[in-house]
Structures are given as C-alpha cells and as structure tokens.
Amino acid sequence: MAAARVEDVLAAAEEQEAEKRRSVTVEKELELEFDLGNLLALDRNPPPAAGLRGAGPRREAQLRALARDNTQLLVARLWQLPAERAGGPGGPLVARLPEPAFRLPREKPPPRPRPPTRWEQFARLKGIRRRKRTALVWDEQAKEWRRRWGYRRAGGDPARAWLAEVPAGADPQEDQFARLRREKRERVARNELNRLRNLARAHRAATTVPAAPLHPTGHQSREELGHVARVARVSTASLGRFQPRLPKEPAEPPSRSGGKKRRFEPLLGNLAAERGRQLELLRDMNSKKPVLDITRAVNKQLRQEEAEAAAAKGKKQSQRGKRGRRRQHVGRSGKKSGARRQQQQRPAGSGTSSSKRKKA
Amino acid sequence: MDALDRVVKPKTKRAKRFLEKREPKLKENTKNAMLIKGGNANLTVTEVLKDIYAVKKPFAVLYKKKNITRPFEDQTSLEFFSKKSDCSLFLFGSHNKKRPNNLIIGRMFDYHVLDMIELGIEKFVSLKDVKNSKCPEGTKPMLIFAGDMFEVNEEYRRLKSLLIDFFRGPSVPSIRLAGLEYVLHFTAVDGKIYMRSYKVLLKKSGCKIPRIELEEMGPSLDLVMRRTHLASDDLYKLSLKQPKALKPKKKKNISHDVFGTTYGRIHMQKQDLGKLQTRKMKGLKKRPAEKSAEDSGVSPKKSKSA
C-alpha cells in the first residue's frame, strides 16, 4: 500500500518536473546555430510562409511567436554558460562569454610591425642584448638610494657642478664649462636627428608599400592609372626596356620621377641640332603665317576656364572666394617640333589642383 | 582628401591619444556608424535614421544636414566622411520617385567602401509609436536570424554579416544574465526581410532557465532588397584576415579523449635501465658468497654481521 503510494508520489513529482521543463523547451526541426560571443542565433528552419503572407496583426503575432521560441533557445544556451557572482557573493550573476566565432571583416588592415632602427639592426647583428638596469642607485654622498637620472639623482645635480677638470691633452685656456655645455647640446641634437631619421624611415616603409595600388572600388583617376601602368612596365626582368608600346605611347626610356623633373639639353654638344633649330626659328620669323594658332589657343583657354568654373562651383559650399591661381597658359602652334613642345608644356590642370582646400 | 592624407605630427598629449585611437590596432575598437541623410530624405527615412541612432548610441554619429550624394555612383564623399569621423559603418537614407524610402547600409575597410546594400522600407513603426517601456541605452542586443534565405543566397548572407556587424555593439568578455533585455529578430520570407525589436521579460519557471516573454518595443521595419554593391572575393578575404598574434595559442603536449580525460606527454632522454634508482629491497641484496662467485680472482670481503 505504502509502496504504491510512494510510487504515485514519485510519478506526480516527475510529472511536475516535466511540466516545468516543458515551459522552457522549444521544439524545432533543425537545431539552431549559436555564436554566444556575439549573442547570435541562426535559425535555418524555413519560416511558415503561408502564415506570414497576410498583413496585419496575425503576421505580427506569428513573428512574435517565432521570435519568442528562438529567444528561448538562445537564453537557454546562455544560461548554460559558466556563471559567477561578480563583486562578491551579493553581486549580480555574470556569465563568461566565449570568443565571438562569427567572422566579420576588420575595420582597418592589421598593423604593420615597424622596421627596426639602425641601433636595433646593429644590436641584432652583433648579438647585443638589453641589460636590465636597476631603478635606483646607491649614492655614497647622501647615503641613500637615489634615482639613476632625473629629479634628485645620484651624483648630484649636473648643472651645479662647480669643478671641471682640464683633461690631459687639452688647451689650458679653453673654457671647460662651455665645452661641457656645447658637447651636451651636440649630443642632444644628434640623438634627436637620429630619432627623426628612424621615424622617417618607418613612415616611408609604412606608406610606400603598395598593398592595393588601385582604388578598390574601380574609380581610378587618370594619374593613378598612368602611375600604375608605368610601374607595371618597369617591373620586368629587363626593367621595361623591351616592352612593346601602345601605338600612341611616346618612345622614351622610363624616368624614375615619372616626368616631373625638367630635362635640358646640354649647352655645347649637338652643333647640327642647334643650327637646325636656329634656322627654323628664322624661317618662322620670316614667314607670313602667324606662329600662334589663334583657334587652338582660344579653345584651350575656354576649356581651362570652364574646368576652373566647375571646380569653383563645387568648392563654393566649403569655402568663400576662389583660391586658385589662374595660369595664363598660351598654347603653342602645331608646327613646332614635338620634343620641344613636350618639354616646355605645363599641364593645364595644375592650377586648380594645387590650390589649397579648406577642411570641411 | 589631400588635407586628410597629410601626416599630422601631434603637438599635445591629447592629440597624440586621438591619433593613436584611430590607427590600426591588433584588437580593434568597436565600429562606429554614421547615419547620413540624402538630398531628398523624407520624414519616414529621417525617423528611421533617428531610431537607429537611438539603438546604436553611443557608437553612432547622426549627421543633421542633408548631403547631396549618390553612394552607388560616387563613393568619395562617403569615404571622406568616414575618414573624418573614423566610422566604418554607414546608413544613408534617401527618397525619390524611382526608389521610395531608400536605405543604403554599408561598411568600410581602410576607409574605402567594402559592401553596400540598398534596402527599401515598406513599413516602419517607430520607437515613439509603440507605447511600451524601453530598455536602457547601450544595451547589447541579442541577434536572431530566421529563414533559410540567409544561408542559401549570397547577397542575403552578406546582408546578414552586415547586419550583425552593424547591431553587434561592443565585444565583451562577460555579460550580466539579468541584463539581457533587448533582442533584434530578422526574418527572411518571400523576398522580404522583417526586422522586429522586442524587450525580453524573464519570467520564473520551475527550473533554472527562465521562461521568455517578449514585448514589442522599438523600431520595426519591413525591408526589401534592391541594389547591392558587394566587395570582390579577394578584397573580402583580405578584410577578413586576422593578424597571427590574435590566434589563440595552442598548448602543446596536452590532449583530451572522448571521456574528458586530459592526457599530457612528457619527452624524456634515453635512460639506462640498469642504473635506475628503484626501491631498495633488503632481502634481494646480493650475499657476499654470491658476489665472490661472480667476481673472479677477487678476495672476498669480510661479511658484515646482520
């Protein structure tokens, strides 16, 4: 009798437990994927499309039910994480989250390690390792531990040194205090110079690496494309000497500065070329035709003005008044030799691009 | 962009700290979002931007003025803003006859646009319209994505990654269990994406795990995907690359078996088993008689008295 009743009691307790657990369990066809580091749950089950088609409160209720089920599963997982009481036994219950597993792209590329300084290279070569120095030094005079340098250093304040010995081979008339001060100034200046040189080297290494030489979204400017094409041409084993050229590309050796430096012909050299040039000059002066091609010059000027006006209109929002230098650029006639024209022509767009922009 | 490309050497400590915050790091800062209005943004779009700003505070910047740009044609203006305010996520709202109630959500890599997805807002219920209690600002939301479209379709997968990136919030090592109040639920059904935000109420249940009840709160959007501008595969892979230093260091010579036992491995040098130090058994000690039998021609020692 008693045994039967005990069994009944146990069965009833079992029922109650199951009932409680049923309120927090959710049945799903496919298991959800969890990324607890991001508090993320991914449900692959196709949602009941039929129920969600009709607009209105029914759809809201269905969405809400779906959300409730998914949230219940996510919270159940979170509650299974190792938890502790933060800030002592009375504090709030805090769960330790694992590392986020979902791979998301970075904001910026990972930092490049800075290149070693000249001293670091030398030390690595020679195998010199850094010796750790103690923070404090025993000062015999003051009979206590003083810092190695700085305020109240061991060995007294160097500015108050009242004695400067004349070293063995030095001039007796020389001012030793002045010499010490001068040498300190020189040392400081040399250290500063080396530090700046190291910084410049690191900065140069960081900025000149063409990790993505072209703009990734495909909006390349003409200069960028030209630069990249030039670099690509020179990147062959014979440094671009035997690369086939496009029909309109000028045949000249690739210059490292990319055409920024002006090149002048030597003063005394090619007598025949000089003679030819002078004769051509005389011929042009004698001929009745005007050297200046008016139409071309006017067109060029108009185009330049239009470009400047458009640029100024675009910049009007950000600045007051035009801050550009208008270059009086007069075009040369087509009769002159091609090489000379290329040497002496200045780019028309340089006037607008060199003007400073105000910070927005 | 010239002004921003110039290297500025900081003259004060504060400026130095400011620049250090912006330079690339091993473990990155939480991504900031910038919310921009287009030239013809209408009331709906403005309200959406304001609500998302409220959700993403303090990791968001809301620009008050209208900016006349078209992100899909020209990205330089967006990149300029991103560099200025150090934001790598953006949300651009605009409205015109061809694309009404348009929202472009996107992210940047190294201040260049990585991904951009254009979404159309079909229905919007604002924070103000739902008259329920809200959760505090800056709560880390729980994110749930429902629907197999988010796995199957490539564009939806990128959209899922974008939305996680956008709404994730700061990465924390531990979280207060009672503070899990906010959940964002995205459902992809029938070519539409339903975004709903709920406030979580933890009710007592018999066992340790609480029973969840949800209360509608906050912005809810019905979105439809329009144009996309996704990064090429190699650029995306480049952006996903993590530096080696962040990889968790694997402990060598430790292994676990199925039952949970931990095994360790010790590597020893070769040992001469004859010279091992073992326990001394007095009974097995060699008797002097046996010793003399082994040694040839050596006089036996005097035996000690036992």
Side-chain angles (χ1 to χ4, degrees):
Chain A
M1 276 298 131
R5 245 180 278 146
V6 163
E7 271 171 20
D8 284 336
V9 165
L10 281 176
E14 189 70 45
E15 259 296 317
Q16 266 187 353
E17 276 283 334
E19 183 69 47
K20 282 184 198 165
R21 227 173 289 130
R22 225 174 292 147
S23 67
V24 291
T25 46
V26 173
E27 279 297 319
K28 282 272 179 181
E29 264 179 30
L30 278 171
E31 279 291 318
L32 305 197
E33 286 166 10
F34 295 99
D35 176 12
L36 296 173
N38 279 325
L39 299 181
L40 176 68
L42 303 167
D43 183 7
R44 280 187 169 206
N45 300 306
L52 292 171
R53 208 158 285 158
R58 219 176 106 232
R59 181 160 74 190
E60 294 302 314
Q62 287 232 322
L63 283 173
R64 201 218 208 98
L66 179 65
R68 197 220 78 83
D69 289 341
N70 287 335
T71 320
Q72 180 74 66
L73 288 166
L74 178 58
V75 166
R77 269 306 175 93
L78 283 168
W79 243 258
Q80 282 169 5
L81 284 174
E84 61 205 9
R85 291 231 159 245
L93 194 60
V94 163
R96 191 177 298 270
L97 292 174
E99 287 285 326
F102 196 83
R103 279 184 87 194
L104 288 164
R106 279 176 69 98
E107 198 176 25
K108 295 167 191 144
R112 232 183 296 276
R114 63 175 177 87
T117 61
R118 265 177 77 87
W119 167 252
E120 281 174 359
Q121 285 170 349
F122 179 75
R124 201 183 305 151
L125 192 66
K126 289 281 191 174
I128 302 172
R129 282 220 293 249
R130 184 161 170 71
R131 246 180 315 156
K132 199 141 163 64
R133 295 177 159 194
T134 58
L136 302 172
V137 181
W138 177 251
D139 189 4
E140 265 308 319
Q141 286 247 311
K143 298 277 193 299
E144 64 170 2
W145 288 95
R146 289 252 172 109
R147 321 164 186 221
R148 199 178 280 279
W149 52 268
Y151 181 62
R152 284 214 199 129
R153 67 184 77 173
D157 187 5
R160 282 165 167 258
W162 49 268
L163 181 71
E165 279 185 19
V166 179
D171 176 21
Q173 307 294 345
E174 194 191 357
D175 184 3
Q176 295 303 317
F177 295 109
R179 182 184 63 94
L180 287 170
R181 263 180 281 134
R182 188 185 62 236
E183 285 187 348
K184 179 164 170 87
R185 237 179 293 138
E186 283 169 6
R187 255 182 288 137
V188 168
R190 196 183 333 126
N191 276 327
E192 185 64 24
L193 179 70
N194 284 332
R195 185 182 76 91
L196 289 173
R197 267 207 222 133
N198 283 328
L199 272 179
R201 204 174 296 123
H203 186 248
R204 220 182 309 137
T207 46
T208 53
V209 172
L214 286 178
H215 196 275
T217 49
H219 288 263
Q220 292 101 10
S221 65
R222 189 159 177 263
E223 288 86 25
E224 234 179 284
L225 282 172
H227 173 72
V228 174
R230 214 178 2 230
V231 169
R233 163 179 289 280
V234 185
S235 332
T236 53
S238 38
L239 297 179
R241 283 189 60 190
F242 305 110
Q243 288 295 104
R245 293 197 163 260
L246 289 172
K248 291 217 178 145
E249 231 178 325
E252 59 183 39
S255 56
R256 270 190 31 182
S257 55
K260 287 193 197 118
K261 278 218 155 104
R262 287 179 71 173
R263 281 172 183 226
F264 297 100
E265 305 205 345
L267 281 173
L268 305 168
N270 201 349
L271 283 177
E274 194 181 335
R275 203 179 128 122
R277 240 186 291 131
Q278 303 286 12
L279 284 176
E280 220 186 293
L281 188 64
L282 283 171
R283 193 167 23 105
D284 282 337
M285 278 161 60
N286 279 340
S287 77
K288 300 285 188 250
K289 271 201 227 159
V291 173
L292 188 62
D293 191 353
I294 300 288
T295 358
R296 271 187 76 135
V298 166
N299 285 342
K300 215 162 197 155
Q301 181 72 354
L302 282 175
R303 229 187 350 185
Q304 195 200 356
E305 282 181 10
E306 275 176 18
E308 279 191 352
K313 209 170 105 179
K315 280 185 276 168
K316 226 186 195 176
Q317 274 92 14
S318 51
Q319 69 183 49
R320 302 192 161 272
K322 253 199 278 188
R323 275 227 230 150
R325 275 177 297 135
R326 274 261 199 99
R327 290 259 196 99
Q328 293 300 324
H329 182 70
V330 176
R332 305 227 176 240
S333 82
K335 292 236 177 95
K336 295 265 163 121
S337 56
R340 194 140 144 242
R341 189 167 29 142
Q342 273 172 10
Q343 272 174 20
Q344 291 162 356
Q345 215 177 43
R346 277 171 298 172
S350 67
T352 47
S353 65
S354 65
S355 61
K356 284 233 180 97
R357 263 207 222 156
K358 251 201 209 163
K359 271 193 183 166
Chain B
M1 279 292 219
D2 285 344
L4 288 177
D5 281 336
R6 241 187 291 136
V7 170
V8 179
K9 274 227 313 232
K11 293 199 175 71
T12 56
K13 284 260 166 58
R14 187 160 177 238
K16 190 162 165 223
R17 267 180 275 137
F18 177 83
L19 284 176
E20 270 174 13
K21 199 164 84 148
R22 294 198 171 192
E23 65 185 16
K25 296 185 201 135
L26 270 183
K27 188 160 194 300
E28 296 198 306
N29 306 333
T30 315
K31 289 193 184 181
N32 280 335
M34 49 186 183
L35 309 167
I36 313 174
K37 289 201 286 192
N40 43 11
N42 61 355
L43 188 65
T44 321
V45 155
T46 322
E47 290 287 309
V48 170
L49 290 175
K50 274 208 264 198
D51 280 357
I52 306 263
Y53 175 62
V55 168
K56 267 225 60 142
K57 265 204 267 206
F59 297 105
V61 184
L62 177 68
Y63 285 116
K64 295 214 180 93
K65 291 230 173 109
K66 295 192 176 176
N67 292 291
I68 307 176
T69 41
R70 297 202 179 97
F72 271 86
E73 272 95 41
D74 176 32
Q75 286 113 16
T76 43
S77 145
L78 278 176
E79 292 173 1
F80 176 76
F81 285 139
S82 153
K83 218 170 194 180
K84 202 73 164 75
S85 58
D86 192 33
C87 291
S88 51
L89 301 164
F90 67 88
L91 196 61
F92 182 88
S94 66
H95 171 84
N96 52 20
K97 201 144 162 217
K98 189 169 176 194
R99 286 179 240 274
N101 296 331
N102 206 17
L103 211 61
I104 303 179
I105 184 169
R107 64 183 153 201
M108 310 274 203
F109 176 67
D110 198 16
Y111 303 122
H112 294 301
V113 167
L114 185 65
D115 286 336
M116 273 197 298
I117 297 184
E118 194 173 51
L119 302 161
I121 307 170
E122 307 223 312
K123 190 168 85 98
F124 169 60
V125 178
S126 148
L127 271 170
K128 299 196 298 273
D129 296 338
V130 179
K131 305 267 188 290
N132 283 334
S133 61
K134 317 280 185 222
C135 66
E137 182 181 291
T139 323
K140 191 166 157 88
M142 294 190 272
L143 300 163
I144 304 182
F145 288 81
D148 49 349
M149 282 287 272
F150 279 125
E151 302 292 323
V152 162
N153 195 333
E154 172 65 36
E155 300 189 335
Y156 276 77
R157 242 183 293 154
R158 285 286 181 95
L159 178 64
K160 177 177 80 175
S161 162
L162 241 179
L163 289 169
I164 296 174
D165 220 352
F166 206 89
F167 290 109
R168 174 160 81 132
S171 217
V172 286
S174 53
I175 192 163
R176 186 172 142 250
L177 288 172
L180 291 167
E181 290 181 327
Y182 192 39
V183 65
L184 284 167
H185 192 265
F186 298 88
T187 320
V189 141
D190 269 355
K192 287 212 201 104
I193 301 153
Y194 300 103
M195 170 183 147
R196 300 282 181 269
S197 341
Y198 300 105
K199 186 168 150 82
V200 175
L201 304 165
L202 305 161
K203 294 269 160 68
K204 257 198 206 321
S205 78
C207 49
K208 231 175 26 141
I209 305 169
R211 184 173 162 82
I212 300 287
E213 293 297 329
L214 294 180
E215 200 184 314
E216 173 95 29
M217 166 199 99
S220 78
L221 290 163
D222 289 359
L223 303 163
V224 65
M225 181 130 61
R226 289 181 186 156
R227 296 183 284 180
T228 59
H229 173 111
L230 303 178
S232 59
D233 274 337
D234 47 341
L235 183 60
Y236 194 64
K237 264 202 210 126
L238 184 70
S239 66
L240 284 175
K241 218 152 102 155
Q242 301 286 347
K244 264 207 210 138
L246 277 184
K247 263 200 280 209
K249 278 222 147 131
K250 199 169 179 308
K251 273 194 139 174
K252 287 170 118 178
N253 296 323
I254 296 180
S255 60
H256 303 265
D257 76 347
V258 188
F259 302 106
T261 323
T262 314
Y263 290 98
R265 240 190 142 105
I266 307 175
H267 298 267
M268 293 286 298
Q269 292 155 340
K270 207 161 167 62
Q271 290 173 317
D272 183 10
L273 292 170
K275 293 205 171 51
L276 273 185
Q277 177 88 300
T278 50
R279 289 172 90 174
K280 296 192 186 345
M281 307 261 180
K282 219 161 167 191
L284 298 174
K285 215 165 37 170
K286 281 207 171 82
R287 299 264 158 67
E290 287 171 358
K291 247 199 187 154
S292 64
E294 276 187 13
D295 297 350
S296 48
V298 178
S299 55
K301 289 198 188 144
K302 237 184 175 169
S303 67
K304 283 196 186 156
S305 56

